[in-house]
Amino acid sequence: MNKFVLVLFTVSWVLLFGLLDGKPPIGSGRVIWDTGGQQLFASYAYYITARHPDLGSGGLKLIKTGNSTCPNTILQYFPKYTHGLPMYLLISVISNFIVYEGTPLAIFMAKKPNCVESLVPDPMKGSPDPPSPLNPPNSSRLLVFVDNSIQKTCVGTGGPEAHPGLLTYSGTFHIEILEKDPLRYNSYKLVFCFAGSDYKNCSYIGTYDNGEGGRRLILTETNPFLFSFFHIYNNSDGTIKSVG
């Protein structure tokens, strides 16, 4: 794909989702790596899993919570050696598509329940798009919502209409590198910044066990969820392996 198309694609995402709400966080210029030792690229699909199966179990899935009729709350669930559902990372500034520490991101689930109506539009056409690595038509953007029943701000998908009666907030994510990881994995922390806050109102993404077969992803000031990126094709037979 030529540079013009890449630039046009990225600019289109900025215009569509309004991701630039001020100056982005100052990045270190350090590249983010997946578990296979490859640079992380925006628009590729990755599993987000605990950095080691013995340090927090498996990957991410969607569950029903509260009054929702659709599974749109993200759970980091317990079975070991399970990758869960893959996600796409999309950069909110013009770039070379390499994800660096501090790069502002929109994150989408690569699969979504049929009950979630919102589709990711094709930035070239302004309409639901055919499948392609750069335009995931079955994705759903991550947001946060306040679950009054547990007094936590949780990570979910599906837009405000998927969380009836609850406060929802949009924003961007960025990645922080775990310094001095004693296990020497490519381990990271995820940060959420509220839209319109000029990247000054931000929190780590942590986990909370509410007795639902796993841990919800929540906003936290301490104890961030430590994870790694696993490319969906990074296995021996080249197939996508996930558990919904």
Side-chain angles (χ1 to χ4, degrees):
M1 181 177 293
N2 61 45
K3 291 183 179 180
F4 173 77
V5 174
L6 288 176
V7 171
L8 180 58
F9 170 80
T10 309
V11 170
S12 298
W13 277 106
V14 173
L15 295 177
L16 280 170
F17 295 107
L19 297 176
L20 295 180
D21 298 301
K23 295 181 179 179
I26 298 175
S28 64
R30 293 185 293 180
V31 172
I32 305 300
W33 305 88
D34 67 20
T35 56
Q38 301 297 312
Q39 293 177 337
L40 214 69
F41 280 88
S43 80
Y44 285 17
Y46 296 92
Y47 299 111
I48 293 178
T49 65
R51 62 190 178 122
H52 189 277
D54 295 327
L55 298 174
S57 301
L60 306 180
K61 66 181 298 185
L62 292 168
I63 64 169
K64 293 181 182 180
T65 57
N67 296 324
S68 176
T69 59
C70 191
N72 45 45
T73 298
I74 295 181
L75 197 74
Q76 189 258 323
Y77 66 130
F78 291 149
K80 293 183 181 180
Y81 307 108
T82 52
H83 298 147
L85 296 173
M87 296 192 178
Y88 287 97
L89 310 177
L90 296 176
I91 296 177
S92 64
V93 293
I94 297 174
S95 72
N96 59 3
F97 273 51
I98 298 175
V99 178
Y100 298 93
E101 183 178 35
T103 299
L105 302 166
I107 303 179
F108 295 81
M109 299 294 289
K111 297 180 180 180
K112 69 177 181 64
N114 292 332
C115 49
V116 177
E117 296 181 358
S118 58
L119 292 178
V120 177
D122 181 350
M124 305 299 182
K125 301 177 182 177
S127 60
D129 58 302
S132 78
L134 293 180
N135 298 304
N138 293 321
S139 297
S140 186
R141 185 179 176 179
L142 270 60
L143 48 63
V144 299
F145 67 94
V146 179
D147 189 332
N148 299 318
S149 66
I150 60 172
Q151 296 296 303
K152 301 289 183 183
T153 302
C154 304
V155 181
T157 64
E161 68 281 359
H163 304 274
L166 302 178
L167 292 174
T168 60
Y169 299 94
S170 61
T172 57
F173 294 86
H174 64 268
I175 301 164
E176 287 188 6
I177 296 173
L178 177 63
E179 302 288 355
K180 299 180 180 179
D181 184 358
L183 298 179
R184 298 183 179 180
Y185 294 125
N186 292 324
S187 302
Y188 304 103
K189 298 175 281 186
L190 192 62
V191 180
F192 177 81
C193 295
F194 288 87
S197 69
D198 198 28
Y199 297 97
K200 295 178 181 178
N201 185 8
C202 304
S203 295
Y204 285 118
I205 300 298
T207 60
Y208 176 75
D209 187 354
N210 192 42
E212 297 163 312
R215 303 177 181 90
R216 293 201 200 188
L217 297 191
I218 63 166
L219 299 192
T220 181
E221 297 300 321
T222 58
N223 300 320
F225 173 46
L226 304 179
F227 66 92
S228 297
F229 290 100
F230 191 95
H231 195 286
I232 61 171
Y233 294 113
N234 189 12
N235 56 73
S236 59
D237 59 9
T239 59
I240 299 176
K241 298 179 179 179
S242 64
V243 178

